[in-house]
Amino acid sequence: MRAAVIVFPGSNCDRDVAVCLRQICNTQPIMVWHGEHTLPPCDLIVLPGGFSYGDYLRCGAMAANSPIMAEVVKAAKSGVATLGICNGFQMLTECGLLSGVLMRNQALHFVCRNVRLQVQQTDTPFTHLYEKDKEIVIPVAHNDGNYFADADTLQSLKDNGQIIFTYGEGDNPNGSQLDIAGVCDKSRRIVGMMPHPERRAEAALGGDDGLRLFAGLLEAVA
Amino acid sequence: MKATIHITLKAGVLDPQGKAIETALHRLGFAQVIQARQGKLIEIDLDESDATTARATLKDMCEQMLANTVIEDYEITLHNDK
Amino acid sequence: MKATIHITLKAGVLDPQGKAIETALHRLGFAQVIQARQGKLIEIDLDESDATTARATLKDMCEQMLANTVIEDYEITLHNDK
Amino acid sequence: MTITKEIVAEHGLAPDEYERILAAMEREPNLTELGVFSVMWSEHCSYKSSRKWLKTLPTQGEKVIQGPGENAGVIDIGDGDAAVFKMESHNHPSFIEPYQGAATGVGGIMRDVFTMGARPVASLNALRFGDPSHPKTRHLVGGVVSGIGGYGNCIGVPTVGGEVNFDPAYNGNILVNAMCVGLARTDKIFYAAATGIDSPVVYVGSKTGRDGIHGATMASAEFDDASDAKRPTVQVGDPFTEKLLLEACQELMASDAIIGIQDMGAAGLTSSSVEMADKGGVGIHLNLDKVPCREEKMTAYEMLLSESQERMLMVLKVGREAEAKLIFDKWGLDFAVIGNLTDTNRMVIEHQGAIVADMPLSPLAEGAPEYDRPHTPTPAAALFASPDTHPHNLPDTLLHLLADPALASRRWVWEQYDSMVMGDTLAGSGGDAALVRVHNTNKAIAISVDVTPRYCFANPIEGGKQAVAETWRNITATGATPLAITNCLNFGNPEKPEIMGQFIGCLEGMSQACRALDYPIVSGNVSLYNETDGIGILPTPAIGGVGLIDDHTKAIGAGFTQIGQRVYIIGDDGTHLGQSLYQQIILQNKNCFAPPCVDLDQERQNGDFVRQMILAGHITAAHDISDGGALVALAEMCLASFNEGNIGCAVDIQASHAFWFGEDQARYIIAVPVTPADACAALENEAAKNNIRLTSIGTTQADTLTLPDHAPIKITHLRTTHEAWFPTYMEGK
Ligand SMILES: Nc1ncnc2c1ncn2[C@@H]1O[C@H](COP(=O)(O)OP(=O)(O)O)[C@@H](O)[C@H]1O
Ligand SMILES: [Mg+2]
């Protein structure tokens, strides 16, 4: 699997996700600077977490306008698997690849902790190694992860099985509607999620619930 | 030309910050507060003296980046230089 | 009574958000932008029909909570109900 | 403009200090020069009250690469790796504007660390607030915590630990101490010294504004007739720019273009250029017309004294400017050659075609005043005679203590910090020391920040010893070897002999402990005059300790991992209730009694034993006994049990309140597997051989903590009790 990680000024989980991808793919992913105008050929695009542009204005808004994002949108629409983690999820909604928006957390605080997640859909290249409805544990770390969409959008997400991760019962850290932690587009090849799978990818960091997502991608898209 | 842009959440969109302000004001004893909403204020100095061009440019900025038009409305006010 | 409150950074205080917006606008090709500053916009619905009282109450709110007067200025505008 | 007595006083300079300036200058200084002297000779920059005593601290050791005197201390952690760390205060700004004050405190200490070529890998903080019921406290806690998180989370350095305390003594003076630890290669450490006549002096980072120009309200008003509104002295932090500055500096540091580098912290351009030139034994010429400014018509005075954040000063090798500029351009940061080194040993400042300052360097730096202020030792406090005649119900007492602001869980605080970014945090907040892996290796560094101000107040020497010993114990309890410390010495007004006595006493205690534990001091910071309306803070010498474990898989935590394991106390029985939380909270006795003594030989002996046994794999959980005593420590081990499981303990000994709540030092609680069958016997033998006191107190069990003759306490109940106070308080309920 050839993976490309897009690096924005202010990204800070780019290395973390690269470490995880290298472990899975046995090669270093391609790190692509936001100012580039071309995207190297790849099977997976990752928009990493962090504070692109300091999260100023709106999280992900300025990153979504970076030169490279036009290429990312094109590639994603042509079927290249695309994963937005945390700040990356915010970018995917900002550039319209995913519906909804991520508002300020209900408690108005940054929150960093492990959360329980339900894997709602296992028929995506991202989630096929998980067992449906079984709880996994993955950390979150964000200020703006409160998923919001209008009623029609929510209904269509439900109808099309696009809500792929939800927070476990009683463990919603941000006030997200329907406990949404991650969604995909209709093609099921573009995924945005607030939890950080790369932070739960080895025993020393508490387990490998996150690693399975990348392992699944390796099988599905390589 | 100077401009002020108000960016506000569309009606019906969740406003956690506004809600929090409302609750905090009530807690401080400001019972008269019926509702509070929070938006953004962006002030821009533009090297452009024609109002029509300025307004069109600012509209572009809002559409492209300053506002997320899925959830936000924007309103541009121009101020003439003194 | 409805009110709009503008909260802006005092002159001379660093505005990282404004600066980042400015840079991003330049990158998008809006070379005309000389400066951008970001502030907050708070809209409050007040159960109060007397303008003088309303203004005094809003001022209290700003001083006590809405603005951080060490680094921010505020400006209150009242709108009559239609 | 002639310099009047009033102007001298406005600049915080004493009349005799002004005489020294006249002698050094051999003429009357102009206002700009006076401004430069005033900041360089301020307590903050010159350490004039403390320098004499700081020199007595032990700073040497086998692992020390760089002791005090640079931006941060550096120690060798093997394999060509170095740990670079320092702690600093941002007390006053945080009281005025808690969010920005704390944020810029974090930003400042990170710059100190990455200036030296290190990548910051961990951030910690030590916070003291006033009484929770004081009207300002809640607002200050909220602002400080979100400011620390706001900066650290954005720049992407995990915040892995710290401490939060409340005491009315801090009502008017909160303490915000931030510590940063970075990692570097031992052959790629960068220093501040500037050498090479004609080498270019380069300014990088953010633009200069009129931020934090203090002590000079009058003077600057005269200089700048354009300004109307009163200028705020609070600086706003920009973590996004600092992240770019960090990456750009790291990129440039990979080359060999840099001769010296120094962040612009307190007293900005002035102190950074004076320090660089003075350390290199050269002169410096700056042209202020080249300084990137964010405001118009800035005067030389303002540019020299501005404390705008996210800026650095570098001296490059001649001819390397262009390649360096490319890097800073890429990251969108200002880059300007603003001067060069000279052979004059003077600082010469040019602005708008005129020389606006021309001053000899050495009086500004090592020639600054140094005082031996009068001091009186703190009188000995009486021993507390425990009124243990009517013992309270043990479980109730425990629950009461765990629910008190002094001991309640700090989860509300630490969950607002990103503790996991960078992917190497093996243990964050909630245990004894934090453990951060050295990327791509099996090694981990262990870090802990501690001090018990009430002990320091009652007995500065014992308190100083205890602060050092507690970090040492916390690090030891993970299995790591403590290597060196940094410190942040927060005290009241040094012009009062009793405050100076506290200062000297604490330093004396710290020194004794550092020597006994082979635990040198490699960096630090002093914050004096923490006093409002004549009320000083408790003496608060915060200590930040750093240790190393070669194989992190051998490290253990404080939480119980399995049921059926034997639980022991290592060290003597608890006896000492003076200054304990039991005395203060349960007995409601706030009198100032003597704190526990620290027997440093016993510390060393017990700690070395615990560490050996952990590394040999005999111990599965360890926690030191500190605030609250043994029963609180035991409860904390239940609360921290593996994966937030609910592993409790069946206590099988009967003991007094002093045993359970005494805060005697040099003690730990450990858990030991009972299989193989002779594991416990082996450990007991080993302890006997080493002359270590070991007391078996119980066995781990599922779900409850039970004390003989008392109803069991459910761990879930213990947890709700422990977790409740902070969030409830912060919601203002
Ligand atoms: N309490 C202390 N113990 C040891 N060293 C100290 C102490 N206080 C200050 N120092 C050392 O003195 C030097 C100057 O400190 P400081 O002015 O705080 O540094 P900076 O200029 O980076 O802010 C530093 O090298 C620091 O490590
Ligand atoms: Mg420094």
Side-chain angles (χ1 to χ4, degrees):
Chain A
M1 176 166 70
R2 287 170 59 87
V5 178
I6 317 290
V7 184
F8 301 89
S11 290
N12 61 30
C13 302
D14 45 332
R15 186 190 78 177
D16 303 356
V17 81
V19 166
C20 185
L21 285 164
R22 189 178 51 218
Q23 195 183 332
I24 287 289
C25 307
N26 268 319
T27 66
Q28 177 69 21
I30 315 159
M31 307 304 278
V32 183
W33 184 236
H34 74 119
E36 300 288 329
H37 292 267
T38 54
L39 193 63
C42 58
D43 314 301
L44 170 69
I45 300 168
V46 180
L47 301 173
F51 286 68
S52 59
Y53 295 92
D55 268 1
Y56 300 149
L57 188 62
R58 284 187 315 283
C59 303
M62 294 195 244
N65 281 292
S66 293
I68 195 67
M69 281 307 279
E71 300 307 306
V72 170
V73 170
K74 240 187 276 168
K77 283 187 172 157
S78 76
V80 178
T82 303
L83 173 63
I85 301 167
C86 197
N87 195 215
F89 186 8
Q90 293 159 344
M91 292 174 207
L92 289 174
T93 61
E94 275 288 338
C95 66
L97 286 173
L98 293 174
S99 50
V101 287
L102 293 142
M103 311 286 286
R104 180 56 48 91
N105 295 347
Q106 197 164 45
L108 304 186
H109 294 150
F110 188 93
V111 57
C112 173
R113 62 174 173 88
N114 285 328
V115 294
R116 289 179 288 109
L117 291 182
Q118 296 267 354
V119 184
Q120 299 288 355
Q121 305 292 334
T122 51
D123 62 344
T124 76
F126 300 80
T127 52
H128 65 100
L129 292 188
Y130 294 110
E131 284 168 65
K132 198 169 158 98
D133 296 331
K134 195 159 167 225
E135 278 195 348
I136 58 174
V137 173
I138 294 187
V140 291
H142 59 250
N143 229 334
D144 302 76
N146 185 350
Y147 189 87
F148 176 86
D150 59 35
D152 292 346
T153 308
L154 287 178
Q155 191 57 47
S156 110
L157 288 175
K158 275 202 274 192
D159 294 347
N160 297 310
Q162 286 172 248
I163 301 172
I164 63 173
F165 294 111
T166 55
Y167 298 112
E169 168 100 52
D171 212 12
N172 182 337
N174 52 36
S176 220
Q177 285 178 320
L178 307 177
D179 294 327
I180 288 173
V183 299
C184 66
D185 75 327
K186 285 202 175 120
S187 78
R188 311 187 89 62
R189 297 183 70 82
I190 305 175
V191 162
M193 61 194 294
M194 289 315 294
H196 285 268
E198 78 281 11
R199 294 190 181 188
R200 193 107 171 157
E202 56 170 315
L205 301 179
D208 66 353
D209 280 353
L211 192 70
R212 268 184 287 162
L213 183 142
F214 297 99
L217 278 164
L218 179 70
E219 279 182 26
V221 309
Chain B
M1 181 85 60
K2 283 189 201 304
T4 310
I5 305 174
H6 280 190
I7 298 174
T8 49
L9 288 168
K10 288 194 154 86
V13 174
L14 173 79
D15 176 13
Q17 281 149 304
K19 263 265 154 312
I21 291 174
E22 204 176 293
T23 318
L25 288 173
H26 286 159
R27 199 179 319 132
L28 283 177
F30 294 102
Q32 320 90 313
V33 174
I34 302 169
Q35 200 193 23
R37 306 273 292 168
Q38 176 166 334
K40 281 183 204 120
L41 171 71
I42 297 177
E43 298 171 316
I44 293 193
D45 260 14
L46 216 54
D47 181 13
E48 173 60 67
S49 50
D50 178 64
T52 320
T53 322
R55 189 173 289 280
T57 310
L58 290 162
K59 184 158 186 279
D60 271 3
M61 292 180 195
C62 287
E63 293 283 336
Q64 278 187 51
M65 193 185 82
L66 297 181
N68 178 347
T69 51
V70 179
I71 48 163
E72 294 171 326
D73 291 325
Y74 60 89
E75 195 189 309
I76 299 165
T77 315
L78 295 178
H79 311 276
N80 284 324
D81 296 320
K82 297 132 220 173
Chain C
M1 181 86 60
K2 281 190 203 302
T4 310
I5 304 174
H6 281 189
I7 297 174
T8 51
L9 285 168
K10 287 198 156 90
V13 174
L14 175 72
D15 175 13
Q17 312 226 35
K19 204 176 65 182
I21 292 172
E22 199 178 296
T23 317
L25 288 172
H26 287 160
R27 224 194 38 233
L28 284 178
F30 295 103
Q32 318 91 311
V33 174
I34 301 170
Q35 200 193 22
R37 306 271 291 171
Q38 176 167 339
K40 276 186 216 134
L41 172 70
I42 298 175
E43 297 172 317
I44 293 193
D45 261 15
L46 214 56
D47 181 12
E48 173 58 66
S49 50
D50 178 62
T52 319
T53 322
R55 188 173 289 277
T57 310
L58 291 161
K59 183 157 187 278
D60 269 3
M61 292 180 192
C62 286
E63 292 284 337
Q64 279 187 50
M65 194 191 83
L66 300 179
N68 176 351
T69 51
V70 180
I71 50 173
E72 293 172 328
D73 290 324
Y74 59 88
E75 197 190 306
I76 299 166
T77 314
L78 296 177
H79 312 276
N80 286 323
D81 295 321
K82 298 131 220 176
Chain D
M1 170 191 250
T2 41
I3 302 297
T4 61
K5 268 195 218 137
E6 290 71 30
I7 296 179
V8 170
E10 284 262 357
H11 281 78
L13 290 161
D16 60 314
E17 289 175 336
Y18 185 62
E19 292 303 316
R20 292 177 64 157
I21 293 174
L22 288 176
M25 290 292 292
E26 296 173 351
R27 63 171 164 82
E28 187 171 289
N30 63 34
L31 190 58
T32 303
E33 290 165 338
L34 186 75
V36 168
F37 268 104
S38 84
V39 292
M40 290 309 297
W41 286 12
S42 66
E43 187 66 57
H44 189 89
C45 285
S46 72
Y47 290 86
K48 55 191 169 193
S49 304
S50 59
R51 220 159 57 207
K52 171 179 164 62
W53 303 100
L54 294 179
K55 286 178 194 154
T56 65
L57 295 172
T59 60
Q60 310 278 311
E62 201 193 317
K63 305 282 186 190
V64 177
I65 295 178
Q66 174 66 54
E70 275 286 338
N71 284 306
V74 185
I75 59 169
D76 190 337
I77 56 166
D79 316 306
D81 295 318
V84 178
F85 56 95
K86 181 164 181 220
M87 178 157 38
E88 208 160 61
S89 65
H90 230 209
N91 303 338
H92 189 61
S94 303
F95 187 74
I96 311 264
E97 210 308 280
Y99 183 97
Q100 296 297 346
T104 50
V106 171
I109 193 63
M110 284 192 186
R111 278 195 300 286
D112 271 336
V113 165
F114 73 77
T115 301
M116 300 208 62
R119 179 172 281 278
V121 297
S123 178
L124 294 92
N125 52 85
L127 312 178
R128 318 274 153 191
F129 298 101
D131 193 320
S133 64
H134 187 275
K136 276 203 157 139
T137 301
R138 183 182 295 115
H139 163 73
L140 291 168
V141 175
V144 165
V145 169
S146 54
I148 290 173
Y151 209 99
N153 300 346
C154 181
I155 194 171
V157 174
T159 303
V160 297
E163 50 172 1
V164 184
N165 275 189
F166 300 92
D167 191 290
Y170 304 100
N171 280 350
N173 288 86
I174 63 169
L175 302 184
V176 174
N177 295 173
M179 174 176 175
C180 178
V181 187
L183 293 173
R185 298 292 295 170
T186 51
D187 58 356
K188 284 296 260 180
I189 309 278
F190 289 81
Y191 297 98
T195 54
I197 309 306
D198 292 336
S199 303
V201 177
V202 174
Y203 170 119
V204 295
S206 281
K207 291 188 180 5
T208 297
R210 294 186 173 97
D211 301 283
I213 302 169
H214 45 212
T217 354
M218 186 264 336
S220 49
E222 280 207 8
F223 258 85
D224 175 32
D225 42 16
S227 74
D228 37 14
K230 218 167 144 202
R231 198 171 292 139
T233 53
V234 174
Q235 304 137 50
V236 169
D238 181 358
F240 171 57
T241 296
E242 179 130 317
K243 164 78 173 163
L244 305 182
L245 187 59
L246 163 65
E247 298 303 337
C249 286
Q250 295 254 317
E251 215 171 301
L252 181 60
M253 284 165 166
S255 78
D256 63 349
I258 299 176
I259 295 172
I261 176 166
Q262 162 82 32
D263 69 297
M264 292 191 225
L269 192 51
T270 294
S271 86
S272 54
S273 49
V274 168
E275 276 170 35
M276 290 187 81
D278 182 62
K279 281 185 183 143
V282 295
I284 192 165
H285 183 107
L286 300 181
N287 180 353
L288 297 183
D289 301 332
K290 305 276 172 60
V291 170
C293 288
R294 123 177 149 245
E295 294 184 69
E296 284 167 22
K297 295 202 203 129
M298 286 190 65
T299 63
Y301 184 101
E302 291 170 327
M303 281 190 241
L304 286 170
L305 268 54
S306 160
E307 295 195 343
S308 292
Q309 302 286 298
E310 291 93 22
R311 304 179 300 161
M312 292 267 192
L313 199 66
M314 307 188 294
V315 172
L316 297 182
K317 291 184 182 159
V318 175
R320 306 296 291 271
E321 299 90 326
E323 80 184 77
K325 183 168 187 308
L326 269 184
I327 293 173
F328 287 86
D329 283 352
K330 170 187 159 193
W331 291 97
L333 296 164
D334 272 295
F335 177 102
V337 177
I338 62 167
N340 58 274
L341 300 185
T342 65
D343 60 3
T344 60
N345 289 317
R346 297 180 74 82
M347 173 158 95
V348 178
I349 309 287
E350 186 184 336
H351 189 217
Q352 296 171 344
I355 300 297
V356 294
D358 182 350
M359 31 206 334
L361 278 165
S362 69
L364 287 170
E366 81 268 23
E370 175 180 313
Y371 297 131
D372 182 0
R373 298 205 185 272
H375 45 94
T376 48
T378 306
L383 270 176
F384 177 65
S386 166
D388 224 359
T389 44
H390 290 291
H392 306 251
N393 175 306
L394 276 179
D396 284 357
T397 307
L398 173 64
L399 288 164
H400 190 144
L401 283 170
L402 288 177
D404 190 272
L407 285 172
S409 166
R410 269 66 176 136
R411 182 182 301 278
W412 184 91
V413 175
W414 81 61
E415 283 190 349
Q416 293 186 52
Y417 302 146
D418 188 338
S419 54
M420 309 173 187
V421 62
M422 297 186 88
D424 286 309
T425 305
L426 305 172
S429 289
D432 281 324
L435 282 174
V436 177
R437 183 170 53 189
V438 177
H439 195 61
N440 263 331
T441 73
N442 257 341
K443 291 188 290 199
I445 49 173
I447 320 161
S448 174
V449 180
D450 298 280
V451 59
T452 313
R454 64 181 189 278
Y455 294 176
C456 297
F457 181 74
N459 185 331
I461 296 180
E462 291 305 316
K465 279 156 68 175
Q466 195 275 342
V468 172
E470 190 172 345
T471 65
W472 191 85
R473 272 201 307 266
N474 280 335
I475 291 169
T476 293
T478 66
T481 305
L483 295 178
I485 66 176
T486 183
N487 64 73
C488 191
L489 308 175
N490 309 272
F491 288 80
N493 181 352
E495 291 161 39
K496 293 185 178 168
E498 63 279 14
I499 300 289
M500 212 46 218
Q502 293 175 345
F503 184 81
I504 294 167
C506 285
L507 258 67
E508 168 61 28
M510 285 163 55
S511 292
Q512 285 182 23
C514 291
R515 290 203 174 89
L517 302 172
D518 283 326
Y519 198 31
I521 294 176
V522 298
S523 60
N525 174 253
V526 179
S527 169
L528 301 176
Y529 298 98
N530 290 289
E531 197 154 314
T532 300
D533 300 333
I535 302 172
I537 58 164
L538 298 178
T540 313
I543 305 294
V546 174
L548 177 73
I549 185 162
D550 287 322
D551 177 359
H552 73 76
T553 60
K554 292 188 173 152
I556 60 169
F560 290 131
T561 57
Q562 255 183 47
I563 59 171
Q565 299 196 334
R566 194 103 280 266
V567 179
Y568 295 93
I569 288 179
I570 289 191
D572 289 337
D573 289 355
T575 55
H576 192 100
L577 286 171
Q579 290 298 335
S580 67
L581 292 178
Y582 181 83
Q583 176 212 327
Q584 312 231 316
I585 297 167
I586 303 296
L587 303 179
Q588 290 282 311
N589 177 334
K590 307 266 171 167
N591 295 338
C592 182
F593 291 107
C597 292
V598 184
D599 177 335
L600 292 164
D601 293 333
Q602 229 188 73
E603 280 291 349
R604 175 116 205 192
Q605 208 183 6
N606 292 353
D608 286 348
F609 175 75
V610 169
R611 190 176 325 105
Q612 268 169 33
M613 293 301 109
I614 293 173
L615 295 178
H618 298 319
I619 299 181
T620 57
H623 185 29
D624 77 307
I625 300 179
S626 56
D627 269 347
L631 193 54
V632 167
L634 183 65
E636 287 169 346
M637 294 178 81
C638 302
L639 290 169
S641 52
F642 186 63
N643 265 344
E644 310 210 342
N646 294 318
I647 303 176
C649 181
V651 172
D652 53 21
I653 58 158
Q654 297 272 10
S656 69
H657 278 69
F659 180 93
W660 287 121
F661 301 111
E663 295 183 7
D664 306 65
Q665 301 290 301
R667 303 191 302 147
Y668 303 79
I669 302 186
I670 59 169
V672 179
V674 291
T675 49
D678 55 356
C680 289
L683 186 91
E684 285 170 24
N685 279 337
E686 200 59 34
K689 254 198 291 178
N690 288 280
N691 253 324
I692 304 287
R693 178 92 192 283
L694 202 62
T695 310
S696 168
I697 58 167
T699 307
T700 57
Q701 65 181 2
D703 299 328
T704 57
L705 170 63
T706 47
L707 290 152
D709 304 333
H710 290 286
I713 317 167
K714 277 201 147 30
I715 306 302
T716 48
H717 180 51
L718 217 50
R719 182 165 284 126
T720 17
T721 308
H722 187 231
E723 294 292 344
W725 182 79
F726 228 113
T728 313
Y729 172 68
M730 290 310 296
E731 276 162 32
K733 284 177 191 152

